[in-house]
């Protein structure tokens, strides 16, 4: 499976943000490195995403994408304003929809429509709430999942985790990593109201006070099979070691 990490300048100590992601697409599923220029669009223009068509904005930013060849979206990318986004599959107790925006679609749209990490966070949330997420994300094999994102620029970074049209996010201090498992528990900064209401209605928790995002929504079998807990623990440990070293030198 795959992992995404971010370290802000407080850990790297060089005045910039460090971002990394690996990708575990199928062996013969080519990922193209593509630069898509800034484009102005006429009023009423549409954009054809992987499975659905949505309204286009007036002007998109220039973006660099690492894009599986058959889809609209991208596993990771950056734009001309220094925004960078990567996503991870997460497996939840809620079934993914058969169609909607894929996590990769949301990566690309977030990059094309933002000038900062915070703006990209808001763009993805807005698109998620309006159009939902879904559709097969596998090339030769069917694979459906929800999505987790790290969104960063040179000043700040966020982790955004989603289930259907619901979400929770946290502003990252120093460093963070995501690894095919819900990383947020009760430590989020904001979440959509429906996330907790649905958990209580489904019996995942008894009350809002009792709500824990990871515990309530994780599909334990798939999350365990993906090895997310082990990989998250290891990536965090390596980041912690680097952070401590930078702050003691």
């Amino acid at each position: 499976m795959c992992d995404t990490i971010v370290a802000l300048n407080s850990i790297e100590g060089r005045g910039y943000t460090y971002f990394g992601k690996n990708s575990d697409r199928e062996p013969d599923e080519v990922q193209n490195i593509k630069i898509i220029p800034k484009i102005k669009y006429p009023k009423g223009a549409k954009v054809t995403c992987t499975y659905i068509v949505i309204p286009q904005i007036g002007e998109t930013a220039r973006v660099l994408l690492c894009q599986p060849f058959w889809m609209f979206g991208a596993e990771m990318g950056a734009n001309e304003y220094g925004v960078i986004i990567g996503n991870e599959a997460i497996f939840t107790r809620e079934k993914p929809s058969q169609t909607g925006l894929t996590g990769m679609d949301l990566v690309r749209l977030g990059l094309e429509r933002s000038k900062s990490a915070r703006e990209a966070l808001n763009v993805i949330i807005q698109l998620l709430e309006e159009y939902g997420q879904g559709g097969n994300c596998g090339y030769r094999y069917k694979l459906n999942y929800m999505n987790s994102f790290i969104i960063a620029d040179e000043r700040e970074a966020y982790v955004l985790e989603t289930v259907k049209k619901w979400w929770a996010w946290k502003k990252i201090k120093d460093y963070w990593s995501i690894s095919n498992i819900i990383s947020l528990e009760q430590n989020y900064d904001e979440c959509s109201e429906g996330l907790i209401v649905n958990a209580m209605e489904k019996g995942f928790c008894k009350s809002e006070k009792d709500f824990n995002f990871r515990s309530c929504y994780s599909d334990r079998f798939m999350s365990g099979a993906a090895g997310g807990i082990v990989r998250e623990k290891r990536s965090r440990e390596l980041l912690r070691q680097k952070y401590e070293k930078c702050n003691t030198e």
Side-chain angles (χ1 to χ4, degrees):
M1 307 303 283
C2 48
D3 314 271
T4 305
I5 64 172
V6 67
L8 299 174
N9 56 27
S10 56
I11 178 173
E12 187 62 18
R14 299 178 182 176
Y16 57 78
T17 295
Y18 176 82
F19 181 97
K21 174 173 164 59
N22 56 27
S23 178
D24 65 335
R25 308 299 305 184
E26 295 171 39
D28 57 350
E29 185 181 8
V30 175
Q31 288 198 52
N32 295 315
I33 305 300
K34 295 180 66 175
I35 295 177
I36 300 174
K38 180 192 293 283
I39 302 175
K40 291 185 177 181
Y41 292 93
K43 187 176 180 180
K46 303 287 186 179
V47 54
T48 301
C49 300
T50 304
Y51 295 113
I52 65 173
V53 178
I54 66 172
Q56 184 58 281
I57 61 172
E59 183 177 78
T60 55
R62 184 171 185 257
V63 297
L64 169 69
L65 303 176
C66 186
Q67 180 188 56
F69 74 96
W70 60 273
M71 62 177 65
F72 167 80
E75 281 274 322
M76 65 196 92
N79 71 16
E80 62 182 300
Y81 302 106
V83 180
I84 188 165
I85 307 174
N87 81 302
E88 298 288 326
I90 52 176
F91 303 98
T92 75
R93 298 167 78 174
E94 294 287 350
K95 285 188 175 182
S97 299
Q98 294 302 305
T99 191
L101 294 170
T102 68
M104 285 69 71
D105 290 342
L106 289 166
V107 168
R108 177 171 174 175
L109 293 167
L111 292 169
E112 289 185 336
R113 300 179 178 209
S114 67
K115 295 183 178 180
S116 69
R118 183 56 189 262
E119 186 175 11
L121 173 72
N122 293 336
V123 165
I124 292 175
I125 287 173
Q126 182 180 11
L127 290 168
L128 183 73
E129 291 182 334
E130 187 165 358
Y131 301 106
Q133 60 182 312
N136 177 34
C137 298
Y139 171 42
R140 296 189 186 278
Y141 304 99
K142 187 174 182 180
L143 183 62
N144 297 77
Y145 48 76
M146 307 298 179
N147 289 272
S148 175
F149 305 86
I150 286 183
I151 307 165
D153 58 30
E154 64 179 352
R155 295 173 299 277
E156 57 187 12
Y158 300 87
V159 54
L160 169 66
E161 300 192 315
T162 67
V163 177
K164 292 186 174 290
K165 293 186 176 184
W166 307 311
W167 49 268
W169 64 261
K170 174 183 175 65
K171 188 173 183 179
I172 296 166
K173 180 182 179 182
D174 300 321
Y175 59 86
W176 199 259
S177 64
I178 51 177
S179 300
N180 299 121
I181 188 168
I182 297 170
S183 68
L184 297 175
E185 298 184 64
Q186 293 180 317
N187 54 338
Y188 50 84
D189 292 331
E190 288 188 23
C191 74
S192 54
E193 181 180 351
L195 185 72
I196 300 177
V197 170
N198 179 70
M200 291 190 292
E201 290 177 349
K202 296 287 178 65
F204 300 162
C205 64
K206 296 179 180 179
S207 66
E208 184 173 348
K209 185 178 180 180
D210 184 48
F211 177 74
N212 179 301
F213 193 0
R214 175 183 277 184
S215 297
C216 287
Y217 278 102
S218 292
D219 180 315
R220 294 185 180 181
F221 175 78
M222 287 297 295
S223 297
I229 292 176
V230 175
R231 289 183 288 108
E232 179 189 85
K233 182 179 180 181
R234 181 58 178 159
S235 62
R236 297 272 179 89
E237 175 61 20
L238 292 171
L239 287 166
R240 183 191 64 79
Q241 290 174 11
K242 178 66 173 178
Y243 175 75
E244 291 180 352
K245 182 179 178 181
C246 288
N247 282 274
T248 56
E249 290 179 345

